[in-house]
Amino acid sequence: MSDQQPKPRPRAARESMPRQDPEVRRHNFDEVALGYSEEQAVREAGRCLKCKKKPCVGGCPVEIEIPAFIHEIAEHNFDGAVAKLREKNSLPAVCGRVCPQEDQCEKVCVLGVKAEPVAIGRLERFAADHEMKSGKMAFPAPPAPTGKQVAVVGSGPAGLTLAGDLAKMGHAVTVFEALHKMGGVLVYGIPEFRLPKGIVQREVDYIEKLGAKMVPNFVVGKTRTVDELMREGFDAVFIGTGAGLPYFMNIPGENLNGVYSANEFLTRSNLMKAYLFPRYDTPIKIGKHVGVVGGGNVAMDSVRTGMRLGAEEVYCVYRRSKAEMPARQEEIENALEEGMILKELTSPVKIIGNDKGWVKEIECIRMDLGEPDASGRRRPVPIDGSEFRIEVDVVVMAIGQGPNPLVPTTTEGLSTTKWGNIIADEATGETSLPGVFAGGDIVTGAATVILAMGAGRKAARAIDAYLKKA
Amino acid sequence: MAVGCEGSDGGQPMFKISEKQVLAPGTMLFVVHAPMIASKVQPGQFIVLRICEEGERIPLTVADFDREAGTLTLIFQEVGKTTRLLGTLEAGEEILDLVGPLGKPTHIERLNLVACVGGGIGVAPVYPITREFKAKGCRVVSIIGSRSKDLLILEKEMTAVSDEIYVTTDDGSYGKKAFVTQELERLIQEGYNFEFAIGIGPVPMMRSFAKVTSKYGIPGKVSLNPIMVDGTGMCGVCRVSVGGKTRFACVDGPEFDAAEVDFDLLCARQLTYCDEEKESLAAFERGKCGGCSK
């Protein structure tokens, strides 16, 4: 066997990702990154050193056997690669697209010391897309039912991962979603051009076929409280409601027409498909000049959505400098290529409206970087007298999201932080209430898809252990 | 387990319309099967619905509910594309998505004398609140009105749950020729010592209700109807200014202290998509309902 294995080709250059041309893509909502061809994938997989230590596995929050699936690709066994991925990851097509691999598996890749790391994320996407193209879905043998029922609150990455894991363990899982479509932030937040909704639907279908029951249009905290779910027969509840509370800056003019929270702007476009208005009924204001405030991934998504809706100019107004922007480097580069005008070291002080109550300008102040703050980044300090205005007709506030209070405030005895995040054990997701677990952004504050998935994975193990004891 | 028996995914039953009535020209009443929501809803709360895959999400206040039958009564006016399309649905047909109960319920306690004021379509959400005050043992005085006689709704129902009822029309075609808020002020001047008043209706009516109640120092609430999308506090489009503070009507409301509400802002924000709404409605009237199959 071993002499038939392809030799690693670590010296070969990392395969670049084919992408839509910036001039073309800034006018459409189609996916930007087109994915590796089979030849590219096999070549890239051939770069893996198959090192003994496999630091990449430790760098993955859901512990994918990375060298193993890459090996299958190198051997042209794409079905085998999918099977390896599916062992640990219920959402490979999602992770292959939106995980910040540069901060996780690829960051610790041994090859990265002297050259560019193996493009693990792109290979994961390749394998997941192969599964989709093949139309085949392989499922593990159905487990023996345990007779235990688990309610999952929220169908985002944490909830879906946990639902998949618990279903594979034989528990009866019901996933409750407040919106009309399953997927949480994957559906309402992340745009089509980064994560096509058909792909999310397919991942949801996969988890449903594993046995999880999907219930949209159900607001836990309103339709039923967590206590009521427990009383009505659920043995455990997992809360993964995410960061569903938009923050505003509390500056004058934020309630003018044309000022959106990023949540609203993206929900209208992504979930409600306002970019297809009037074929779809939900409208969205098409700004000529759009100002997006913030420097994270949500800000980049808002900038790029504004462009695709038809804006002539889209500004990113960020109070620190480009180097401190929390968005993925790749997304910042994508946005810049598409024409984003970056106003770094700039902070809005007020929004100015016209006589009809519509936004017409943002007044900003220039910033300087002072001493590092609690986050370790240099604190932006306003420069007196440096105010200036930017003409805009749409403003999107993408300065962060907090925990939605609907579940915490209706669940008696559930401990939260002063910011409203649920307090949960990092290793298990256990909360202050027996049988109630939590994970993802509702616990950590706004973070990434994969970290939420990791929390779901850990909580699934803890819930399984809890149910076996009960 | 009963939990999760509703919803549009996975071939589960949708929200079937069991009864349809035309209450007034352009004003419809639907009784909709939604047992999970019907078992929990309280006066003052609302639901969000979506008719078809291409449809928008709109909030509607709940006009009544029957916990045993598992139904909600929804009353709406056909004003835009979505409500016009909704009006074309018949008994036996289904609404694709319906979620709730949303918002905070009306705070209802036993008081000596309460005024329940409804203008136009606003009589619909006032009805269950009035009934609940009455059930709590309050003496309830209701004032309902509309532009003209043919647009008046729920007179019989409101009469049944009120100790006294006064009816007005703007044009004098029925009841007294007056606005409901003028009638409220007259009663106050006559010596009605209201401990609480609720007023729901078009924005100009609620603005005037706020003026009257604050003039006489009566604690008054209004139920606000800004644009909404998710209805769970996630998007923030429904922000209103109350007492100088920004609040989300969907989770902090929909009811707020009348005297504190910035009605100018509410009006301006309601008009955000005025042009797009006209475009949608025009297309609907030309017989083009987007890509929708309804």
Side-chain angles (χ1 to χ4, degrees):
Chain A
M1 274 295 279
S2 63
D3 56 352
Q4 284 179 353
Q5 282 188 10
K7 266 211 155 114
R9 302 169 45 252
R11 298 238 170 104
R14 179 175 159 121
E15 289 292 321
S16 63
M17 176 63 107
R19 291 182 302 166
Q20 272 198 76
D21 182 77
E23 268 314 301
V24 175
R25 72 183 193 235
R26 69 162 285 171
H27 300 293
N28 70 52
F29 277 85
D30 299 338
E31 194 168 13
V32 168
L34 303 171
Y36 279 165
S37 64
E38 289 191 6
E39 295 72 30
Q40 278 186 298
V42 171
R43 275 204 301 272
E44 183 63 27
R47 295 179 65 230
C48 177
L49 293 168
K50 303 181 197 168
C51 56
K52 285 255 154 54
K53 277 174 71 185
K54 322 187 261 193
C56 52
V57 179
C60 173
V62 295
E63 306 144 19
I64 295 172
E65 280 296 331
I66 291 166
F69 98 80
I70 289 181
H71 174 73
E72 299 294 345
I73 294 177
E75 299 247 290
H76 281 86
N77 181 9
F78 306 141
D79 289 346
V82 175
K84 268 283 156 214
L85 276 172
R86 286 278 182 202
E87 280 175 13
K88 291 289 172 70
N89 190 347
S90 300
L91 311 169
V94 172
C95 290
R97 286 171 166 81
V98 303
C99 267
Q101 290 95 7
E102 65 278 9
D103 290 330
Q104 295 172 157
C105 52
E106 294 178 15
K107 188 182 187 178
V108 291
C109 173
V110 172
L111 200 54
V113 179
K114 287 190 177 160
E116 282 199 276
V118 177
I120 300 168
R122 293 168 182 178
L123 290 173
E124 179 179 27
R125 171 185 163 160
F126 169 80
D129 288 0
H130 165 79
E131 182 194 41
M132 185 156 27
K133 277 184 212 143
S134 72
K136 287 182 278 189
M137 262 191 189
F139 294 95
T146 62
K148 300 288 184 185
Q149 305 211 49
V150 182
V152 179
V153 186
S155 67
L160 287 178
T161 300
L162 172 120
D165 284 6
L166 289 176
K168 284 188 212 163
M169 297 169 189
H171 303 301
V173 185
T174 306
V175 186
F176 296 104
E177 167 56 50
L179 293 168
H180 54 263
K181 277 229 159 33
M182 309 302 290
V185 72
L186 306 174
V187 168
Y188 77 74
I190 303 176
E192 180 79 15
F193 53 83
R194 238 169 25 93
L195 179 62
K197 299 310 142 211
I199 285 170
V200 179
Q201 185 59 51
R202 195 171 172 281
E203 305 275 44
V204 170
D205 290 346
Y206 184 87
I207 293 162
E208 195 169 13
K209 286 192 182 120
L210 287 173
K213 187 172 168 189
M214 301 290 171
V215 181
N217 296 318
F218 193 108
V219 185
V220 174
K222 289 287 180 188
T223 315
R224 288 292 183 272
T225 62
V226 169
D227 302 332
E228 286 166 334
L229 290 176
M230 296 289 266
R231 242 181 289 142
E232 290 180 21
F234 286 101
D235 301 293
V237 176
F238 174 80
I239 304 167
T241 47
L245 177 74
Y247 285 150
F248 288 91
M249 292 183 74
N250 296 316
I251 55 173
E254 266 183 318
N255 290 337
L256 287 164
N257 286 352
V259 181
Y260 291 86
S261 72
N263 272 359
E264 183 195 349
F265 193 67
L266 294 175
T267 299
R268 282 183 183 272
S269 181
N270 300 330
L271 175 72
M272 305 309 297
K273 303 220 182 303
Y275 62 90
L276 297 174
F277 180 88
R279 192 158 75 76
Y280 279 69
D281 290 334
T282 303
I284 194 165
K285 170 75 179 169
I286 311 292
K288 249 188 175 172
H289 304 276
V290 176
V292 175
V293 181
N297 287 317
V298 173
M300 293 305 102
D301 286 345
S302 303
V303 163
R304 301 171 73 196
T305 296
M307 275 175 199
R308 283 158 174 78
L309 286 170
E312 287 169 15
E313 286 182 328
V314 184
Y315 301 94
C316 170
V317 178
Y318 180 57
R319 61 194 183 137
R320 292 184 165 99
S321 70
K322 187 181 163 205
E324 286 86 23
M325 281 171 77
R328 288 183 74 186
Q329 196 56 36
E330 185 180 322
E331 300 306 332
I332 299 171
E333 294 309 323
N334 275 331
L336 286 169
E337 275 179 22
E338 290 165 14
M340 171 176 80
I341 303 165
L342 179 59
K343 296 276 184 190
E344 55 186 338
L345 292 165
T346 301
S347 184
V349 288
K350 68 175 167 186
I351 302 168
I352 298 149
N354 65 17
D355 55 1
K356 293 200 176 84
W358 276 89
V359 56
K360 68 168 191 183
E361 287 172 314
I362 325 178
E363 184 165 307
C364 298
I365 189 161
R366 294 196 197 281
M367 312 293 276
D368 213 352
L369 289 182
E371 294 300 306
D373 64 10
S375 73
R377 295 177 299 174
R378 293 173 66 192
R379 185 193 304 275
V381 184
I383 303 171
D384 280 344
S386 67
E387 288 88 350
F388 69 102
R389 292 183 176 186
I390 306 172
E391 202 181 301
V392 288
D393 48 5
V394 165
V395 173
V396 181
M397 287 292 169
I399 56 166
Q401 304 88 235
N404 189 299
L406 264 185
V407 174
T409 55
T410 55
T411 311
E412 214 178 310
L414 187 66
S415 300
T416 56
T417 66
K418 64 176 169 175
W419 299 279
N421 293 103
I422 295 174
I423 298 172
D425 186 299
E426 208 187 312
T428 62
E430 283 173 293
T431 68
S432 55
L433 290 173
V436 179
F437 299 74
D441 283 3
I442 187 70
V443 172
T444 57
T448 61
V449 168
I450 188 68
L451 288 176
M453 291 177 61
R457 158 83 20 100
K458 287 178 191 167
R461 271 184 213 142
I463 289 174
D464 185 52
Y466 170 82
L467 293 174
K468 280 180 177 148
K469 256 190 295 175
Chain B
M1 166 158 315
V3 167
C5 63
E6 297 174 347
S8 58
D9 272 20
Q12 288 160 353
M14 291 197 286
F15 304 94
K16 193 178 239 182
I17 300 163
S18 56
E19 189 187 332
K20 177 184 181 180
Q21 284 177 40
V22 180
L23 293 186
T27 304
M28 304 278 179
L29 176 149
F30 279 180
V31 177
V32 181
H33 186 72
M36 295 293 288
I37 304 171
S39 67
K40 285 283 292 222
V41 66
Q42 293 176 64
Q45 291 188 298
F46 65 95
I47 55 97
V48 164
L49 64 78
R50 193 176 73 125
I51 302 168
C52 57
E53 198 48 47
E54 294 81 6
E56 62 181 338
R57 295 169 64 99
I58 60 159
L60 287 178
T61 42
V62 174
D64 204 355
F65 46 86
D66 183 333
R67 300 204 200 282
E68 272 182 24
T71 57
L72 301 175
T73 300
L74 305 175
I75 294 177
F76 61 95
Q77 212 166 10
E78 296 174 307
V79 284
K81 189 244 164 118
T82 298
T83 43
R84 286 280 294 275
L85 179 63
L86 190 60
T88 65
L89 299 186
E90 297 297 337
E93 290 190 278
E94 286 163 340
I95 295 169
L96 181 61
D97 299 300
L98 203 138
V99 63
L102 301 172
K104 289 183 175 161
T106 312
H107 176 72
I108 292 174
E109 58 181 327
R110 194 183 185 290
L111 298 167
N112 289 318
L113 188 60
V114 170
C116 296
V117 185
I121 192 81
V123 180
V126 163
Y127 169 65
I129 297 169
T130 309
R131 187 177 59 192
E132 193 63 23
F133 270 119
K134 178 77 184 150
K136 274 268 181 334
C138 308
R139 192 167 151 236
V140 179
V141 175
S142 297
I143 307 167
I144 60 171
S146 60
R147 288 206 310 277
S148 61
K149 182 183 178 184
D150 59 338
L151 295 173
L152 188 74
I153 60 169
L154 301 182
E155 185 190 3
K156 198 173 73 189
E157 289 80 358
M158 284 296 288
T159 305
V161 296
S162 307
D163 291 286
E164 292 174 38
I165 186 161
Y166 299 88
V167 180
T168 68
T169 50
D170 297 1
D171 64 1
S173 54
Y174 187 68
K176 189 184 232 178
K177 182 175 188 308
F179 296 129
V180 284
T181 46
Q182 291 173 320
E183 196 67 347
L184 175 66
E185 183 159 22
R186 183 182 67 80
L187 292 176
I188 296 167
Q189 285 171 344
E190 278 183 13
Y192 281 76
N193 194 8
F194 295 116
E195 286 175 284
F196 176 78
I198 181 132
I200 308 177
V203 174
M205 177 233 140
M206 291 196 286
R207 188 198 295 266
S208 159
F209 173 87
K211 277 191 192 136
V212 172
T213 49
S214 45
K215 182 175 169 188
Y216 296 95
I218 296 164
K221 294 260 189 198
V222 288
S223 180
L224 304 185
N225 53 342
I227 295 170
M228 292 187 190
V229 180
D230 61 288
T232 63
M234 190 269 278
C235 83
V237 63
C238 65
R239 56 199 190 274
V240 291
S241 178
V242 182
K245 284 206 180 94
T246 294
R247 311 289 301 274
F248 292 172
C250 68
V251 286
D252 301 325
E255 289 175 14
F256 294 100
D257 289 337
E260 308 257 277
V261 172
D262 181 343
F263 289 102
D264 289 338
L265 180 71
L266 177 67
C267 262
R269 289 188 61 81
Q270 279 180 339
L271 294 175
T272 303
Y273 295 109
C274 195
D275 294 343
E276 289 83 359
E277 282 162 13
K278 277 184 198 145
E279 186 184 342
S280 254
L281 184 59
F284 178 75
E285 283 173 343
R286 284 198 307 272
K288 280 191 187 157
C289 174
C292 164
S293 55
K294 297 274 181 199

